[in-house]
Amino acid sequence: MSKRVVIAEDEAIIRLDLREMLEDEGYVVVAETGRGDEAVELARQHQPEVCIFDIQMPGRDGLDAAREVAGDRTSAVLILTAFSKRDLISEARDAGVLSYLVKPFQREELVSAIEVAWGRFTEMRELEDTVESLEEKLETRKAVERAKGLLMDDFQLSEQDAFEFIRSTAMANRAKMRDIAQQIVDGLLTP
């Protein structure tokens, strides 16, 4: 599947060159603008895989736009600039930029920068999904342990019987064990 791209570059000639290079490489340019404020709106509207932002643009600078788009966690962000100052690179990284390209650049450098940004973005998404899944499992375990404790204390069930009650009730009701455990803790469900 071709990656969809939003371009935000205030110099029309560079924007045109970018579009041509990207399309020649199989990317799909879904939107382009010369303004930073429009870049954020276009990114939200089109939900591309990659956004390429110039740093200096009218309306809003590229780092500010990048910070907002990166915060939405929907697109990988790559910054284009004519400057390669170390503090600018640090600021871009802190804004959530995943790749950095200094003008003028070659087609191979552009493709490489996009693929680096996309690779980092997908790794971050996978890590966030893993963390979310682990947090959900931890919360479920805590709820089940609380419910088991109540069942053991209030109804003199063994730990195994308390667990089995929660598990079988969840299965019978096609519910999550966490939800059944919460009902027990809330006093809404008893054996």
Side-chain angles (χ1 to χ4, degrees), residues 18-185:
L18 264 172
R19 179 182 200 98
E20 188 176 299
M21 282 185 212
L22 291 168
E23 288 175 345
D24 286 350
E25 291 295 326
Y27 297 96
V28 177
V29 177
V30 293
E32 59 183 86
T33 182
R35 298 184 53 87
D37 48 356
E38 291 175 5
V40 173
E41 289 178 37
L42 291 171
R44 286 184 173 148
Q45 178 184 349
H46 293 281
Q47 303 268 311
E49 283 77 22
V50 179
C51 292
I52 301 174
F53 295 164
D54 185 25
I55 286 186
Q56 295 181 341
M57 292 183 287
R60 186 178 205 175
D61 79 27
L63 286 179
D64 190 39
R67 187 174 290 106
E68 193 161 338
V69 170
D72 290 344
R73 304 251 191 278
T74 56
S75 304
V77 181
L78 180 152
I79 284 288
L80 281 179
T81 184
F83 313 102
S84 61
K85 298 176 187 169
R86 183 177 299 275
D87 59 331
L88 197 57
I89 294 170
S90 294
E91 193 176 340
R93 183 193 64 236
D94 293 345
V97 171
L98 299 174
S99 197
Y100 192 93
L101 192 59
V102 179
K103 298 184 249 182
F105 53 85
Q106 300 297 314
R107 179 185 307 248
E108 299 79 31
E109 294 169 319
L110 174 63
V111 171
S112 178
I114 289 171
E115 294 307 316
V116 164
W118 179 248
R120 288 178 176 168
F121 181 75
T122 55
E123 286 174 3
M124 284 175 34
R125 262 193 176 162
E126 289 169 2
L127 285 172
E128 287 171 355
D129 290 348
T130 299
V131 167
E132 198 173 290
S133 172
L134 289 172
E135 287 173 346
E136 174 67 26
K137 287 178 182 175
L138 179 61
E139 290 305 313
T140 296
R141 181 164 186 149
K142 285 187 207 175
V144 168
E145 290 299 318
R146 276 193 303 273
K148 278 187 348 187
L150 284 171
L151 292 172
M152 291 165 59
D153 291 345
D154 296 349
F155 299 96
Q156 288 68 50
L157 295 178
S158 69
E159 184 176 3
Q160 182 61 39
D161 289 342
F163 178 79
E164 186 55 36
F165 174 74
I166 296 167
R167 189 184 70 73
S168 62
T169 304
M171 288 176 63
N173 292 301
R174 296 179 188 233
K176 293 181 178 180
M177 285 181 61
R178 181 177 177 180
D179 295 338
I180 297 301
Q182 191 60 52
Q183 289 178 25
I184 293 167
V185 169

